[in-house]
Amino acid sequence: MQIPKGKYVYFSSDNHLGAPTTQESLPREKTFVAWLDSIKHDAAAIFLLGDLFDFWFEYKTVVPKGFVRTLGKLAELRDAGIPIYFFVGNHDLWMDDYFETELNIPVYHKPQEFTFNNKTFLIGHGDGLGPGDKGYKRMKKVFTNPFSKWLFRWLHPDLGVRLAQYMSVKNKLISGDEDAKFLGEDNEWLVQYCKRKLETKTYDFFVFGHRHLPMEVALKETSKYFNLGDWINYYTYGKFDGETFELKKLES
């Protein structure tokens, strides 16, 4: 994709809408929607890198209640012709085809390659990548197993959604408080993942979420890893102008 002059590619991750409660997350949702509205005039594309919702599950005919401001704004931007790409995170990994059929937004469950102005990106949420975190990787296999999803669908939505929301909010991954500091390149699993990917292919930019910590790490002279932070503590996002990628903080 070629980025026209004066246009930008935007990246956002880890909003966790609905946590710790719908009412408490409403101001954050309104802030996010206002940001989406502010970039619609110059957005060449928008990437949402997961955990937009603190919990999301698609029954065959039911989706979680709420988030109409966000969904309505995304629909408006897509109807205006702005490409939007969604990557599921560990909190909304049970997303199926609702975004694709209702909003015309493609949904990805694994990192994907994109090229803008001859710059190559590898983009994803970031959970379960790299060495370590074996307990989560085993848990993810259970949660994403089709049989597990089939079993969960037998719970009435009023019970299933309430139970899942309670467990999600109790999960420390909502805030990232336990590891919201840079651990060093050797202990940052996503940094290690990116370095291993560079052994077989060249990428200009790796862009991920999940860590709830804004990061910029030089991997090679022409390759960098960025983590987008979150919309809970940092209100940070990524912006690519066709040549340069920057981490930006929402102006208050």
Side-chain angles (χ1 to χ4, degrees), residues 8-132:
Y8 304 92
V9 181
Y10 290 95
F11 301 78
S12 171
S13 183
D14 292 276
N15 301 77
H16 289 271
L17 300 180
T21 67
T22 300
Q23 282 305 115
E24 288 181 77
S25 79
L26 184 57
R28 292 191 290 109
E29 180 177 10
K30 290 182 177 179
T31 298
F32 178 63
V33 169
W35 175 74
L36 288 173
D37 194 60
S38 74
I39 65 174
K40 65 183 180 183
H41 68 287
D42 64 5
I46 299 171
F47 284 79
L48 304 176
L49 269 55
D51 287 357
L52 175 62
F53 310 107
D54 196 57
F55 169 73
W56 184 270
F57 186 86
E58 296 178 21
Y59 294 85
K60 288 187 176 181
T61 57
V62 176
V63 295
K65 181 180 178 180
F67 318 117
V68 293
R69 293 169 180 82
T70 298
L71 297 175
K73 181 56 64 175
L74 293 176
E76 175 193 328
L77 299 182
R78 277 302 294 126
D79 289 348
I82 300 173
I84 302 175
Y85 306 90
F86 189 92
F87 289 77
V88 302
N90 49 300
H91 280 253
D92 43 28
L93 54 80
W94 277 344
M95 185 168 285
D96 196 4
D97 63 354
Y98 180 76
F99 267 39
E100 294 179 349
T101 57
E102 187 69 20
L103 303 175
N104 194 26
I105 295 176
V107 173
Y108 301 101
H109 293 260
K110 295 180 180 179
Q112 299 291 318
E113 296 179 11
F114 290 84
T115 301
F116 305 107
N117 291 24
N118 299 317
K119 298 290 186 179
T120 307
F121 286 71
L122 188 64
I123 300 169
H125 179 64
D127 60 309
L129 301 179

Side-chain angles (χ1 to χ4, degrees), residues 68-245:
V68 293
R69 293 169 180 82
T70 298
L71 297 175
K73 181 56 64 175
L74 293 176
E76 175 193 328
L77 299 182
R78 277 302 294 126
D79 289 348
I82 300 173
I84 302 175
Y85 306 90
F86 189 92
F87 289 77
V88 302
N90 49 300
H91 280 253
D92 43 28
L93 54 80
W94 277 344
M95 185 168 285
D96 196 4
D97 63 354
Y98 180 76
F99 267 39
E100 294 179 349
T101 57
E102 187 69 20
L103 303 175
N104 194 26
I105 295 176
V107 173
Y108 301 101
H109 293 260
K110 295 180 180 179
Q112 299 291 318
E113 296 179 11
F114 290 84
T115 301
F116 305 107
N117 291 24
N118 299 317
K119 298 290 186 179
T120 307
F121 286 71
L122 188 64
I123 300 169
H125 179 64
D127 60 309
L129 301 179
D133 211 4
K134 294 181 180 179
Y136 169 73
K137 290 175 181 177
R138 288 192 292 267
M139 181 179 67
K140 184 176 180 179
K141 286 183 178 180
V142 173
F143 283 168
T144 56
N145 185 285
F147 182 67
S148 298
K149 291 190 285 186
W150 179 82
L151 283 177
F152 190 86
R153 281 198 176 96
W154 281 97
L155 291 176
H156 187 282
D158 285 348
L159 175 61
V161 172
R162 181 173 295 182
L163 173 64
Q165 286 175 332
Y166 172 79
M167 297 300 295
S168 183
V169 170
K170 294 291 284 185
N171 189 336
K172 286 293 184 182
L173 288 176
I174 168 60
S175 61
D177 288 340
E178 290 188 329
D179 60 355
K181 61 182 179 179
F182 183 64
L183 303 176
E185 292 189 18
D186 291 341
N187 295 312
E188 289 286 348
W189 295 330
L190 280 170
V191 172
Q192 293 302 309
Y193 170 81
C194 295
K195 287 182 176 180
R196 290 184 181 181
K197 297 298 287 188
L198 287 172
E199 293 174 0
T200 56
K201 187 170 182 177
T202 298
Y203 295 95
D204 296 287
F205 301 106
F206 295 86
V207 185
F208 292 97
H210 184 57
R211 276 286 277 114
H212 289 244
L213 183 66
M215 289 187 229
E216 177 180 345
V217 179
L219 303 171
K220 288 186 176 181
E221 185 176 346
T222 60
S223 182
K224 288 185 177 181
Y225 155 69
F226 288 90
N227 197 282
L228 297 175
D230 66 19
W231 286 73
I232 300 170
N233 297 311
Y234 295 101
Y235 293 88
T236 44
Y237 61 94
K239 185 177 181 180
F240 178 67
D241 65 3
E243 184 67 28
T244 303
F245 188 102

